[in-house]
C-alpha cells in the first residue's frame, strides 16, 4: 500500500519543467497562449454578466487611468487591456490572460492612493506576464489525472478504507504541490509588479504601505503553510528589500510626476 501511495504521489508531484518564468523558476505549461487567452476572455465575459459593475464615473476613470499607466510600460506586442470596476465590498483585483483587468470597489478603501492601487494592479498583471494562470490550470490537470490513477490502483489492490487514503493523498498533493507553488507565484508577482509600477512612474515605497493597510484590514490570515499567499509580515519584509532595485526605476521613469490619476 505504501508503495502505491508513494508511486502515485511521485507521479502527481513531478513534471518536466519545459519553460522558465521571468525570475528563472522552472514552469510546466500544458496550454498554448491562444488557449489561455480564450479561457481568459470567456471567464471575463461571464464575470461581467454575473457581477454588478460600478456606475461611478469618477472611480471608473481613476481605475482605468492607473491600469493604463501600468500596461503602457509592457512590451509593445501586448494587446489593449480591458479594465472593469466591479461594485463589490471585496478587497481584491485580478488580471486574466488575453488582457483583462478587474478591480473591486472594496479595494479602493484599502489602497488609498494611486500608488497603492498601482501596486495591486501591477501585481495582478505580473501574474499574467509570468504565465501563472497557465501553471495553475496545468497543475490542476496533472493532479486530477494522478488522483484518478490512484483511485484505480487502490481499487485493483482491494484496499479497505480507500476513501481515507484518497483524502490523505489529496491533502498531500494540495499542501505539498499546489499551495507552495502558489506562494512562489505570489512572491514572483510581487517582484515583477513592483518593477512594473516603478517603470510606470508610481512610487514603489507605497507598496509597503499598501500591505500594511492590508494587514490591518485582513485580520488573522492563518498559517502561511496552508495559504497560497505569503504572510503579510513576510511580504512587507520582501518588499522592503526590493526598494533598492525599484527606486532607481521609479526615479528614472519618464512618467514620474506626470498624468496623476487621483
Amino acid at each position: 500500500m505504501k508503495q502505491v501511495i508513494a508511486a502515485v504521489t511521485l507521479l502527481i508531484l513531478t513534471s518536466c519543467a519545459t519553460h522558465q518564468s521571468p525570475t528563472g523558476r522552472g514552469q510546466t505549461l500544458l496550454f498554448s497562449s491562444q488557449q489561455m487567452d480564450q479561457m481568459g476572455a470567456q471567464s471575463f465575459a461571464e464575470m461581467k454578466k454575473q457581477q454588478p459593475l460600478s456606475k461611478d464615473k469618477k472611480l471608473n476613470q481613476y481605475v482605468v487611468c492607473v491600469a493604463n499607466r501600468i500596461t503602457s510600460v509592457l512590451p509593445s506586442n501586448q494587446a489593449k487591456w480591458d479594465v472593469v470596476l466591479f461594485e463589490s465590498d471585496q478587497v481584491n483585483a485580478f488580471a486574466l490572460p488575453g488582457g483583462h483587468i478587474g478591480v473591486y470597489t472594496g479595494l479602493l478603501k484599502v489602497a488609498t492612493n494611486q500608488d497603492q492601487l498601482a501596486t495591486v494592479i501591477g501585481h495582478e498583471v505580473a501574474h499574467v506576464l509570468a504565465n501563472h494562470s497557465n501553471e495553475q490550470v496545468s497543475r490542476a490537470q496533472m493532479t486530477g489525472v494522478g488522483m484518478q490513477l490512484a483511485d484505480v490502483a487502490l481499487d485493483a489492490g482491494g484496499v479497505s478504507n480507500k476513501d481515507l487514503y484518497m483524502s490523505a493523498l489529496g491533502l498531500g498533493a494540495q499542501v505539498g504541490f499546489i499551495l507552495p507553488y502558489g506562494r512562489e507565484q505570489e512572491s514572483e508577482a510581487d517582484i515583477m509588479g513592483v518593477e512594473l509600477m516603478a517603470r510606470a512612474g508610481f512610487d514603489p515605497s507605497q507598496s509597503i504601505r499598501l500591505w500594511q493597510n492590508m494587514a490591518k484590514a485582513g485580520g488573522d490570515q492563518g498559517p502561511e503553510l496552508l495559504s497560497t499567499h505569503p504572510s503579510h509580515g513576510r511580504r512587507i519584509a520582501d518588499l522592503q528589500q526590493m526598494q533598492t532595485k525599484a527606486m532607481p526605476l521609479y526615479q528614472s521613469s519618464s512618467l514620474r510626476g506626470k498624468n496623476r490619476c487621483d
Side-chain angles (χ1 to χ4, degrees):
M1 180 61 223
K2 290 182 179 179
Q3 289 84 354
V4 173
I5 293 291
V8 176
T9 302
L10 183 64
L11 174 64
I12 294 172
L13 301 182
T14 59
S15 60
C16 296
T18 57
H19 298 266
Q20 277 197 334
S21 75
T23 62
R25 179 175 56 82
Q27 293 179 302
T28 297
L29 308 178
L30 302 182
F31 299 89
S32 69
S33 58
Q34 291 80 10
Q35 288 174 309
M36 293 307 303
D37 288 353
Q38 184 178 10
M39 290 182 202
Q42 291 174 343
S43 298
F44 202 58
E46 195 64 28
M47 292 184 74
K48 288 192 288 187
K49 290 179 183 178
Q50 295 180 355
Q51 300 187 31
L53 308 183
S54 172
K55 297 180 181 178
D56 189 314
K57 185 176 180 180
K58 185 176 180 180
L59 284 183
N60 272 277
Q61 290 175 339
Y62 167 54
V63 170
V64 169
C65 177
V66 174
N68 285 348
R69 284 265 299 276
I70 292 291
T71 58
S72 72
V73 300
L74 300 181
S76 58
N77 61 345
Q78 294 290 324
K80 180 175 174 59
W81 289 66
D82 183 17
V83 184
V84 170
L85 179 62
F86 293 97
E87 187 66 48
S88 170
D89 289 334
Q90 290 188 58
V91 181
N92 210 348
F94 63 89
L96 296 174
H100 311 282
I101 296 172
V103 175
Y104 295 100
T105 52
L107 175 64
L108 304 181
K109 298 176 182 178
V110 179
T112 58
N113 59 42
Q114 64 168 10
D115 304 286
Q116 293 178 20
L117 179 59
T119 300
V120 180
I121 294 178
H123 173 94
E124 298 303 330
V125 169
H127 277 306
V128 175
L129 297 183
N131 292 312
H132 290 166
S133 296
N134 198 332
E135 274 192 288
Q136 286 178 314
V137 295
S138 296
R139 289 200 181 94
Q141 178 160 309
M142 288 187 295
T143 302
V145 170
M147 293 299 289
Q148 290 171 12
L149 291 175
D151 191 49
V152 171
L154 292 170
D155 271 334
V159 176
S160 60
N161 297 323
K162 185 185 74 171
D163 291 343
L164 179 61
Y165 283 114
M166 288 299 291
S167 296
L169 185 58
L171 179 62
Q174 183 79 348
V175 175
F177 183 42
I178 297 172
L179 296 187
Y181 274 90
R183 289 195 294 274
E184 284 189 357
Q185 290 173 337
E186 290 295 327
S187 295
E188 193 168 58
D190 277 345
I191 294 170
M192 296 174 62
V194 167
E195 291 185 9
L196 278 177
M197 69 178 293
R199 292 182 190 279
F202 294 106
D203 182 359
S205 69
Q206 284 293 312
S207 64
I208 299 169
R209 175 61 63 184
L210 168 76
W211 286 107
Q212 290 170 339
N213 293 349
M214 287 284 195
K216 293 178 182 177
D220 186 10
Q221 285 182 304
E224 183 178 350
L225 175 64
L226 300 180
S227 170
T228 58
H229 291 63
S231 68
H232 291 314
R234 175 180 168 184
R235 185 168 237 156
I236 290 170
D238 288 345
L239 287 168
Q240 288 171 333
Q241 292 183 349
M242 294 176 203
Q243 297 304 308
T244 302
K245 183 175 180 180
M247 269 300 175
L249 297 175
Y250 168 60
Q251 292 166 351
S252 63
S253 172
S254 61
L255 298 174
R256 183 165 66 97
K258 296 181 180 180
N259 303 320
R260 287 192 62 86
C261 297
D262 55 6

